[in-house]
Amino acid sequence: MERGTGQAPAHERYFEREHEQLDAQLHAHLLDVVGGDFSSALQRLREWRAALARHIEIENTQLLPHVPEGARWAARVYRVEHDRIELLADEYLDKVRAAAARPAQDERTRRAAILALVDGAHALRHVLEHHHEREHTALAHELPLPLQQAAWGAEPSRR
């Protein structure tokens, strides 16, 4: 937090804003899963997956080429994590797609499908959480603010 402002330092705001938007989309998807609305859950997950792909593309092409020598983690580490996140996201999308294609015939089956999807999202959420933390604590500090602004757009809102 910046002194007396109650907000993250400027170098963290761009990544925070982007990650908060992605997290909100995934959260909305999970609420649909928990409610058993697999059709809506699938649509929200597709939207989240597209947003995630755009996010990763921006990082890979506009930001990671500028990771300085001596950075806490090399650009390669972030790229490997991006690959892992995309793999987990696609595997999870397949599970949600299958659940949406096979409506449950009874309440017990519906609940089992919900639980399987919640469990299926766990590894993805865990990797995302650690990846975002790595970016907030290192990458956001190591890349120049003008570069972040050019990649992510206008100044993040001051919360």
Side-chain angles (χ1 to χ4, degrees):
M1 297 285 181
E2 287 184 352
R3 249 181 237 209
T5 65
Q7 62 188 353
H11 54 266
E12 292 178 20
R13 285 190 214 123
Y14 290 100
F15 282 94
E16 278 188 0
R17 177 190 67 191
E18 294 302 314
H19 293 156
E20 285 173 0
Q21 290 171 354
L22 286 169
D23 290 346
Q25 285 181 292
L26 188 57
H27 182 83
H29 154 75
L30 289 169
L31 289 177
D32 284 343
V33 167
V34 171
D37 186 349
F38 299 137
S39 176
S40 181
L42 178 58
Q43 181 58 37
R44 288 186 196 268
L45 187 62
R46 285 179 174 148
E47 292 166 3
W48 172 82
R49 182 63 183 91
L52 176 68
R54 286 188 302 275
H55 178 87
I56 289 173
E57 178 69 15
I58 288 169
E59 287 186 0
N60 285 349
T61 62
Q62 297 180 39
L63 297 172
L64 295 181
H66 302 282
V67 172
E69 287 293 321
R72 188 166 179 186
W73 289 289
R76 174 184 49 79
V77 171
Y78 297 103
R79 285 189 185 99
V80 167
E81 287 181 344
H82 288 162
D83 291 346
R84 178 75 175 139
I85 289 165
E86 289 184 310
L87 176 67
L88 290 171
D90 290 343
E91 288 174 351
Y92 179 65
L93 179 58
D94 288 342
K95 291 176 185 178
V96 175
R97 193 178 289 122
R102 285 183 270 108
Q105 300 302 315
D106 58 55
E107 185 62 15
R108 181 172 175 77
T109 305
R110 185 180 81 83
R111 289 179 184 207
I114 291 168
L115 182 57
L117 290 179
V118 169
D119 285 347
H122 182 75
L124 172 61
R125 293 177 71 205
H126 180 77
V127 171
L128 282 168
E129 179 182 331
H130 286 279
H131 178 72
H132 291 174
E133 184 63 25
R134 183 186 315 276
E135 289 182 347
H136 293 179
T137 61
L139 189 59
H141 298 266
E142 294 166 336
L143 296 175
L145 281 174
L147 179 65
Q148 293 181 48
Q149 183 175 11
W152 297 125
E155 175 70 19
S157 62
R158 298 187 183 271
R159 285 176 219 111

